[in-house]
Amino acid sequence: MHRKHWIIAFFFIAGMYACNKEAANYFTGFQKPLDFPEPVYHFATNQVTKEGFELGRKLFYETMLSNDNSTSCGSCHIQTSAFTHHGHSLSHGIADRLGTRNSPPIMNLAWNTSFMWDGGVVDLDLQPIAPITNHVEMDATMADVLNKLRASLAYPALFNKAYGSTAITTSNFLKALSQFMVMCISSHSKYDSVKQHIGSVSFNAEEQRGYTLFQQKCSSCHKEPLFTDYSFRNNGLVPSSIDDQGRYLITQSDDDKYKFKVPSLRNLEFTAPYMHDGRFLTLDAVFDHYSMQVQDMPTLDPLFRQNGFRGIPISSEQRMAMSAFLNTLNDRSFLLDKRFSEQ
């Protein structure tokens, strides 16, 4: 073989080796971040595999999941907005129908004990059924969705690759979506680097002051490192015109009226607007609410009635410091991770 051909062959083989190595290292399965607690998702019944994850990702962005083939899960959960519906106070579904709540982010779901703002679903494997069958969101039926997937050219082979059978069942369909969603882990913010002592990363003086204030004023509900305790609380919001009563709609207990799930504070820079109905467009508006606008209600959380003050006393200087700390929870790598993007 001529020297030129040897060189070409060498680089071809080297390139193939590099590509194969990259492909092999691309999928590492579910890995718990160092400082995170043990996940609560039932991996024993749905272990994440490369094939299952890739199927779930394709399904997440599949518009056939909606009645008119126009809307996917990814339509209302946009990666560059930490999988929220950026720019909408209330999420819009099929045919631009207006919902009643703001889309919550899809991140760190393996640690969630319930789903939706009212906790109406308690198993991630069942969660997709709610938006798929909701008249406002995707307005489909599970039977129709599965039949469309069965009739497609691609999906029987993809299900066979993931599950060893071309049969497309409700169970495997939902488990594949879960495999994608549990992999959407946000754990590479500046906060994470500081807490894990990565390199020489540290909080600056303003961030450290904000962190101290956060621990004093917010950490009862927004527990580290996930920055939520997954509880349901009434934080004193004036009921909206539609009078969404939150957790009460699920439990029918008067004690749960106007209680909503405590959201995570991770990636706040990208998840506006805030609250269950997206009523606050900025973080400043959120601070205004907690410091001056908390309403007195029968189910108001006791944490907002302390020392004769309703709400959380926060000065202008404290607000600036706490904002600086909250910005350390932003994880841009999560928003740009190609594993989670539409392929």
Side-chain angles (χ1 to χ4, degrees), residues 206-219 265 268 283 287 312-329:
E206 187 79 341
E207 292 166 347
Q208 183 60 55
R209 182 165 181 264
Y211 183 33
T212 300
L213 289 166
F214 168 84
Q215 291 175 310
Q216 295 170 353
K217 296 176 180 290
C218 309
S219 62
L265 299 182
L268 288 181
L283 197 53
F287 280 123
I312 304 173
I314 307 172
S315 69
S316 296
E317 290 184 352
Q318 290 175 333
R319 179 184 302 205
M320 292 177 62
M322 291 172 70
S323 294
F325 167 69
L326 291 174
N327 277 328
T328 71
L329 303 181

Side-chain angles (χ1 to χ4, degrees), residues 42 56 64 119 141 149 163 169 268 273 309:
H42 46 90
M64 281 195 290
T141 67
L149 296 177
Y163 297 111
T169 66
L268 288 181
F309 187 88

Side-chain angles (χ1 to χ4, degrees), residues 39-243:
V40 299
Y41 181 73
H42 46 90
F43 288 103
T45 63
N46 189 24
Q47 188 63 42
V48 179
T49 66
K50 180 177 184 292
E51 295 76 17
F53 166 78
E54 291 176 348
L55 172 60
R57 178 178 60 205
K58 185 170 177 62
L59 289 169
F60 186 83
Y61 292 105
E62 178 56 72
T63 57
M64 281 195 290
L65 272 57
S66 64
N67 184 22
D68 65 355
N69 302 327
S70 67
T71 306
S72 70
C73 302
S75 298
C76 293
H77 297 281
I78 302 166
Q79 183 183 7
T80 52
S81 299
F83 291 102
T84 61
H85 204 178
H86 180 69
H88 297 270
S89 295
L90 302 176
S91 292
H92 293 242
I94 190 173
D96 208 32
R97 295 170 190 165
L98 187 64
T100 59
R101 294 176 180 169
N102 182 256
S103 289
I106 291 178
M107 62 179 176
N108 301 336
L109 295 188
W111 290 268
N112 276 238
T113 52
S114 63
F115 304 88
M116 301 199 295
W117 283 103
D118 55 21
V121 177
V122 295
D123 189 331
L124 182 60
D125 289 2
L126 301 178
Q127 170 60 31
I129 297 174
I132 288 172
T133 60
N134 184 281
H135 171 70
V136 170
E137 296 185 59
M138 300 171 94
D139 195 25
T141 67
M142 287 299 300
D144 285 345
V145 167
L146 295 179
N147 283 334
K148 285 192 284 187
L149 296 177
R150 289 165 184 151
S152 71
L153 293 176
Y155 279 105
L158 292 173
F159 272 83
N160 185 53
K161 191 175 179 182
Y163 297 111
S165 171
T166 58
I168 298 178
T169 66
T170 302
S171 176
N172 285 345
F173 166 79
L174 294 170
K175 286 182 176 181
L177 281 168
S178 288
Q179 287 195 38
F180 172 76
M181 290 189 287
V182 296
M183 289 289 288
C184 294
I185 300 172
S186 180
S187 62
H188 293 95
S189 65
K190 180 176 181 178
Y191 164 86
D192 296 301
S193 295
V194 172
K195 300 301 285 187
Q196 295 175 27
H197 307 289
I198 296 176
S200 58
V201 180
S202 62
F203 293 139
N204 62 35
E206 187 79 341
E207 292 166 347
Q208 183 60 55
R209 182 165 181 264
Y211 183 33
T212 300
L213 289 166
F214 168 84
Q215 291 175 310
Q216 295 170 353
K217 296 176 180 290
C218 309
S219 62
S220 295
C221 301
H222 298 283
K223 293 186 180 298
E224 301 175 63
L226 294 160
F227 290 89
T228 173
D229 64 355
Y230 301 108
S231 65
F232 300 88
R233 300 175 187 260
N234 180 341
N235 62 346
L237 292 171
V238 176
S240 64
S241 58
I242 63 172
D243 195 31

Side-chain angles (χ1 to χ4, degrees), residues 320-338:
M320 292 177 62
M322 291 172 70
S323 294
F325 167 69
L326 291 174
N327 277 328
T328 71
L329 303 181
N330 297 320
D331 178 4
R332 286 173 174 78
S333 66
F334 176 61
L335 278 61
L336 301 174
D337 194 324
K338 292 187 181 298

